[in-house]
Amino acid sequence: MTGSIAHDRGPAEGEERAGPLIVTEDALLLDDLLRLCAAAGARPEVHHGVPERGGGWDTAPLVLVGDDAVCRLRGAARRRGVCLVGHDQDDPRVWRRAVEIGADHVLRLPDAEEWLVDRIADVAEGVGHPALTVGVLGGRGGAGASTLACGLALSAARSGRRTMLVDADPLGGGLDVLLGGETAKGLRWPAFAESKGRVGAGALEESLPRLHDLRVLSWDRGDTVAVPPGAMRAVLAAARRRGGAVVVDLPRRLDDSVVEALAQVDLGLLVVPAELRAVAAAGRVAAAAGMVLRDLRAVVRAPGQAGLDSDEVAGLLGLPLAGVLPQEPGLRHTGGPPGADTRGALARFCSAFWASVPAEGTS
């Protein structure tokens, strides 16, 4: 797959996306604000003063007031979401004007452009609660982290959650293959490698392959084996803004991009077979991941070595126990993706997991 994506698409024909109200007569400032709205994929409403009754002063999700317009807004009803915007970096009276109109923020361009584009895009996308983001790591090679990640994503989608599965392990062979969708149309990670700044949440979702009622961001069969940390941060932030659930399959090797991914994970699951060597290997993974991830829990694969139970494994790792994942005979030979059989051990474990966690993540 080729191509790249850095910003959200504009509204489709007939689609209305909430944009800010702009109040200014300053032509240069208006040009800048219209440019920033276009970058955020929002259509603003522009006035020289407080709109007539029925206008956007009360209903706009965000109001951008130019320095020149403050005198025309005296007496307007106070509301939240007002930003005073201008170009003069050294104006000592700007804070007095901000108090006059009850502004929440004072913004000086061009310094505040990146912040303002993000804020406009947030209101245009109607951002609500961020997705609950779950990261899955293997305690050792072959522990079954990718299998669990797929099972969790399928289970979340079955329960009605908007779900995205993100493959953050470039050497794992591709989760689209595990889901039987390696030929499905849609973008893969190489298309996002050059992403800078904000990635549009809606554009990201629409650009990815849809497999088994969830969106999947995986790797292609090309030579790209890494994405820059900034791209990882931007893509996962966009995925979280859509709400629902995001499941991230993480490698055991922690580089800068994986650290960025861990920083956006609400809850981590470390898959550990109940074997002494696996526990020893998992201890190193847990120590490294735990430096970034505040909530890391152990999922113990059973049965294991005689005399080594799940509580003992979790205790040796110093992690709370998220649950025990029994072996599922014939899982690799069912012909469907992991967790597709709702009567199987993997599907039952995943359903119980989602029932035990919050519906949304932390902001």
Side-chain angles (χ1 to χ4, degrees):
M1 282 287 180
T2 59
S4 63
I5 180 170
H7 293 288
D8 206 347
R9 60 176 177 85
E13 184 176 353
E15 178 186 359
E16 290 295 330
R17 295 181 57 182
L21 168 66
I22 298 176
V23 183
T24 184
E25 287 186 329
D26 184 330
L28 292 177
L29 179 60
L30 180 58
D31 283 346
D32 279 342
L33 293 178
L34 291 176
R35 171 175 56 83
L36 298 179
C37 286
R43 291 178 176 174
E45 179 184 347
V46 180
H47 288 269
H48 298 318
V50 178
E52 299 287 338
R53 180 177 297 274
W57 179 261
D58 295 322
T59 59
L62 182 68
V63 179
L64 306 178
V65 179
D67 279 341
D68 63 294
V70 170
C71 62
R72 297 191 293 279
L73 295 181
R74 293 191 179 103
R78 293 298 176 103
R79 53 152 293 164
R80 296 179 63 88
V82 175
C83 299
L84 181 61
V85 190
H87 287 119
D88 190 346
Q89 303 283 347
D90 302 312
D91 184 355
R93 296 170 296 175
V94 64
W95 297 104
R96 178 181 298 175
R97 294 197 296 273
V99 171
E100 287 180 22
I101 62 173
D104 297 329
H105 301 280
V106 174
L107 308 177
R108 303 288 89 180
L109 303 182
D111 291 357
E113 285 192 359
E114 183 176 350
W115 185 92
L116 186 52
V117 169
D118 280 351
R119 186 72 184 94
I120 295 170
D122 280 346
V123 300
E125 291 177 353
V127 173
H129 292 290
L132 176 65
T133 305
V134 178
V136 186
L137 305 93
R140 64 156 169 80
S146 295
T147 298
L148 178 57
C150 287
L152 287 170
L154 284 172
S155 178
R158 272 197 303 267
S159 71
R161 299 190 191 213
R162 168 183 266 140
T163 306
M164 187 176 296
L165 176 60
V166 178
D167 186 353
D169 186 358
L171 302 180
L175 292 185
D176 56 349
V177 176
L178 195 56
L179 291 170
E182 59 270 26
T183 61
K185 293 183 179 180
L187 298 182
R188 268 67 171 179
W189 262 119
F192 299 91
E194 301 303 321
S195 295
K196 296 178 180 179
R198 183 188 181 99
V199 172
L204 171 66
E205 184 177 52
E206 293 170 10
S207 70
L208 299 179
R210 184 179 181 88
L211 303 172
H212 308 285
D213 294 324
L214 58 100
R215 298 287 181 169
V216 181
L217 176 54
S218 188
W219 299 86
D220 63 8
R221 279 9 99 189
D223 297 330
T224 302
V225 293
V227 294
M232 179 67 74
R233 178 173 61 251
V235 168
L236 282 183
R240 284 175 56 83
R241 287 197 303 272
R242 294 300 281 173
V246 175
V247 181
V248 188
D249 183 24
L250 295 159
R252 291 180 296 131
R253 169 189 52 84
L254 269 60
D255 57 18
D256 290 343
S257 290
V258 177
V259 169
E260 288 288 356
L262 284 169
Q264 298 195 56
V265 166
D266 297 306
L267 189 159
L269 298 177
L270 182 64
V271 185
V272 188
E275 304 164 2
L276 285 175
R277 288 189 64 194
V279 173
R284 295 188 176 187
V285 179
M291 296 178 67
V292 184
L293 184 57
R294 289 177 295 178
D295 189 352
L296 181 62
R297 309 177 191 180
V299 174
V300 178
R301 289 272 307 276
Q305 292 176 342
L308 193 60
D309 62 24
S310 55
D311 290 323
E312 207 170 0
V313 171
L316 289 170
L317 294 171
L319 299 176
L321 179 64
V324 179
L325 184 56
Q327 295 288 350
E328 186 172 336
L331 179 63
R332 297 175 181 269
H333 308 290
T334 60
D341 180 3
T342 57
R343 298 168 299 178
L346 175 60
R348 294 198 306 272
F349 175 92
C350 294
S351 295
F353 170 81
W354 290 119
S356 69
V357 296
E360 290 95 15
T362 58
S363 56

